[in-house]
Amino acid sequence: MTDTNLQASGLMPIPGHIDPLPVARDVTPRADGRIDLIGLPKKDIAALFAQAGLDARQAKLRSKQVFHWLYHRGVTDFAAMTDIAKPMRPWLAERFVIGRPEIIEAQHSTDGTRKWLLRTADGHDFEMVFIPDADRGTLCVSSQVGCTLNCRFCHTGTMRLVRNLTVGEIVGQVMLARDALGEWPNGSASTSSRARTGTAGIVEGTFNQDHGDPGFRRDDEAESDDDEDNPTYTADGRLLTNIVMMGMGEPLYNFDNVRDALKLVMDGDGLALSRRRITLSTSGVVPLMARCGEEIGVNLAVSLHAVTKEVRDEIVPINRKYGIEELLQACADYPRASNARRITFEYVMLKDRNDSDDDARELVRLIRKYKLPAKVNLIPFNPWPGAPYECSEPERIRRFSEIVFEAGISAPVRTPRGRDIDAACGQLKTAAERRSRAELERLWAEKQAALG
Ligand code: SAH
Ligand code: SF4
């Protein structure tokens, strides 16, 4: 499509793509003309209130109160905002809404993992996953509907990118999860009790790491104890304690919205989750990694998956644009990385492709060469229909883990969670975008040709 065509269609390319695809820039405006407040920072809420007729002082005061109700208390109705003057509540409701993505389907795995199929106001489907654990509860958040990057082992990569999720749709996932888990302080408009006992019971009985490395888990906990940002937020009594940007999409290709959404998630007057409990995973969008550290400040995970150019070019095609050495240098330069805040390298175990002893040794060599404060997460490949790879044998994974571990680098094997409901890493994909195997092969070949 030419630039003029793109403009005429209201679509835009996302800069920096290996293979730019047109995507809708914004959501379709609401038919009733009201504005959704979810996704807006306090100052924008104040500006909207001022535009709607409040004087500057009132607008600022009201925006503070409303922000607190939205993000700290989780109300979904202006009528519930009891410290706002009664006549003002319908005034707000006429002009504004408190949105949530629509829940199309909610699934519960036998291991306690939960997956929600969500729909945007303009009809696009995406997914979020909650993974309860004995000592934490992790929400896996999507950043895009689909993904442009086509990693060959990832189901999401077989979708065409439909569009970036908005700030409201990203932070809205966290709010929906809080709704579903009943975790708003003193109850919320949508839930009143904290349904904890049942879920915790399921989790404790089922979680098991194949090659447990307790050190990996304890680090995060220790860091959050002296959390200077949000001293009141602790894991105690909470189900949702951690967020990983590891759902559908490449978060760094939706940088501004992901940053603004995570700022809302971290705001001490609202959801107040510590940045130390948030991890952003990238397939290796090198030019945006430094900004991620500086402007968001969350933990970084990098989908490395291979240690040679040949293999990484094949399985993570963005490698053709930003190679392994460049990627590792960006990791070495990542702001705030330290031994206490290590970078996680994700490594999917693909049978006979990236799982040899030599691969493990090369991984160690590279981590040492760049002096990276690193830990390695070994992810057994999660299959999906038509996937061109198989998972490595358990014995192979164990040996790989041992080699890395013996070099002094933490290398736990992740236990797949929620496989029975297709909620595990790389299994997310919405039905609307299903493609035939032949079509997938053709798309993939086109991408390879385009990359040269
Ligand atoms: N786009 C980002 C984040 C989402 S994917 C990224 O690529 O990092 C989250 C993790 O799941 C990534 O490490 C990804 O490579 C991995 N993954 C994708 N498909 C997988 C599969 N089928 N089995 C196991 N892990 C997979
Ligand atoms: Fe996109 Fe990540 Fe899947 Fe690659 S692994 S296709 S970057 S979601």
Side-chain angles (χ1 to χ4, degrees):
M1 219 187 273
T2 64
D3 282 355
T4 335
N5 281 344
L6 280 174
Q7 272 159 15
S9 65
L11 300 171
M12 61 167 281
I14 300 178
H17 272 174
I18 52 161
D19 182 13
L21 286 175
V23 288
R25 182 192 286 270
D26 290 316
V27 280
T28 317
R30 286 177 59 91
D32 64 10
R34 291 188 296 167
I35 296 171
D36 190 350
L37 292 182
I38 297 297
L40 301 177
K42 248 174 269 158
K43 68 171 180 20
D44 289 10
I45 297 178
L48 284 171
F49 288 178
Q51 261 171 36
L54 297 187
D55 68 43
R57 203 186 62 85
Q58 272 282 320
K60 197 167 170 207
L61 173 71
R62 296 301 177 206
S63 71
K64 254 189 112 162
Q65 287 173 308
V66 168
F67 188 91
H68 186 81
W69 281 108
L70 298 181
Y71 293 106
H72 186 73
R73 301 292 295 275
V75 304
T76 50
D77 187 351
F78 292 105
M81 300 184 176
T82 48
D83 62 354
I84 290 183
K86 254 202 172 141
M88 191 161 190
R89 296 179 216 162
W91 181 90
L92 285 166
E94 269 168 35
R95 291 161 179 80
F96 304 103
V97 289
I98 304 168
R100 292 281 195 273
E102 185 188 352
I103 298 180
I104 302 300
E105 193 185 0
Q107 287 175 280
H108 219 132
S109 160
T110 49
D111 71 10
T113 301
R114 298 169 73 169
K115 181 171 89 167
W116 290 268
L117 176 64
L118 307 176
R119 184 165 295 164
T120 63
D122 59 342
H124 298 301
D125 291 353
F126 62 104
E127 294 179 315
M128 76 172 183
V129 175
F130 178 69
I131 307 147
D133 210 331
D135 61 347
R136 66 175 65 187
T138 305
L139 187 70
C140 182
V141 171
S142 290
S143 55
Q144 299 181 310
V145 180
C147 186
T148 45
L149 288 179
N150 304 90
C151 298
R152 241 203 147 189
F153 51 85
C154 172
H155 211 191
T156 310
T158 67
M159 293 173 68
R160 277 193 201 282
L161 178 70
V162 178
R163 71 163 167 79
N164 281 336
L165 291 175
T166 63
V167 179
E169 288 157 355
I170 298 169
V171 73
Q173 294 171 62
V174 182
M175 306 190 69
L176 264 185
R178 281 262 174 104
D179 291 346
L181 300 168
E183 283 216 297
W184 296 106
N186 308 323
S188 75
S190 43
T191 43
S192 55
S193 66
R194 305 177 71 171
R196 175 174 314 121
T197 3
T199 321
I202 296 169
V203 180
E204 278 162 22
T206 53
F207 182 79
N208 170 33
Q209 267 193 307
D210 297 341
H211 181 144
D213 168 29
F216 169 69
R217 305 189 151 265
R218 274 201 304 267
D219 282 349
D220 279 0
E221 297 309 321
E223 282 162 27
S224 57
D225 286 342
D226 65 2
D227 178 356
E228 74 276 19
D229 293 341
N230 298 293
T232 54
Y233 197 97
T234 70
D236 299 342
R238 290 273 192 208
L239 287 176
L240 198 173
T241 61
N242 291 56
I243 289 181
V244 291
M245 294 303 302
M246 294 189 188
M248 293 164 80
E250 166 49 59
L252 293 188
Y253 272 149
N254 187 12
F255 185 85
D256 290 359
N257 290 353
V258 167
R259 175 199 54 209
D260 294 351
L262 291 180
K263 288 220 143 107
L264 286 171
V265 170
M266 293 186 278
D267 193 309
D269 295 335
L271 290 157
L273 202 79
S274 160
R275 64 181 160 74
R276 291 162 192 269
R277 290 181 171 276
I278 303 176
T279 301
L280 183 147
S281 173
T282 179
S283 56
V285 184
V286 168
L288 289 169
M289 283 167 58
R291 278 186 68 198
C292 175
E294 281 152 16
E295 296 177 35
I296 316 180
V298 292
N299 301 316
L300 184 69
V302 172
S303 294
L304 189 62
H305 302 317
V307 288
T308 64
K309 174 166 168 53
E310 186 223 333
V311 179
R312 197 162 191 269
D313 276 358
E314 174 195 313
I315 66 177
V316 188
I318 195 178
N319 195 62
R320 295 176 176 218
K321 189 158 186 180
Y322 311 113
I324 292 176
E325 305 273 337
E326 218 180 323
L327 175 59
L328 295 179
Q329 187 56 51
C331 291
D333 298 339
Y334 189 70
R336 289 193 250 214
S338 65
N339 260 333
R341 294 192 73 199
R342 287 176 285 167
I343 292 174
T344 303
F345 288 102
E346 293 154 288
Y347 199 98
V348 64
M349 299 302 297
L350 303 174
K351 188 174 184 177
D352 299 332
R353 208 63 206 102
N354 65 354
D355 62 353
S356 69
D357 287 359
D358 281 350
D359 288 319
R361 286 189 208 104
E362 178 61 6
L363 179 59
V364 169
R365 190 190 68 81
L366 286 170
I367 289 173
R368 284 189 175 150
K369 176 176 170 194
Y370 287 89
K371 300 191 174 60
L372 295 170
K375 52 194 172 193
V376 176
N377 263 354
L378 298 177
I379 317 174
F381 169 66
N382 291 308
W384 38 271
Y389 299 103
E390 281 176 66
C391 184
S392 310
E393 299 297 335
E395 177 51 29
R396 184 90 294 275
I397 301 180
R398 201 189 53 76
R399 182 68 199 123
F400 193 106
S401 169
E402 253 171 30
I403 294 172
V404 182
F405 201 77
E406 278 160 12
I409 300 163
S410 165
V413 181
R414 308 306 294 179
T415 302
R417 298 291 303 267
R419 269 188 178 175
D420 56 335
I421 55 167
D422 282 348
C425 292
Q427 292 186 314
L428 302 187
K429 177 174 187 292
T430 47
E433 298 296 319
R434 277 194 209 297
R435 291 175 188 286
S436 69
R437 176 75 199 268
E439 203 181 348
L440 290 178
E441 284 301 322
R442 188 179 52 72
L443 267 176
W444 196 78
E446 273 173 18
K447 301 261 169 201
Q448 298 301 302
L451 287 162

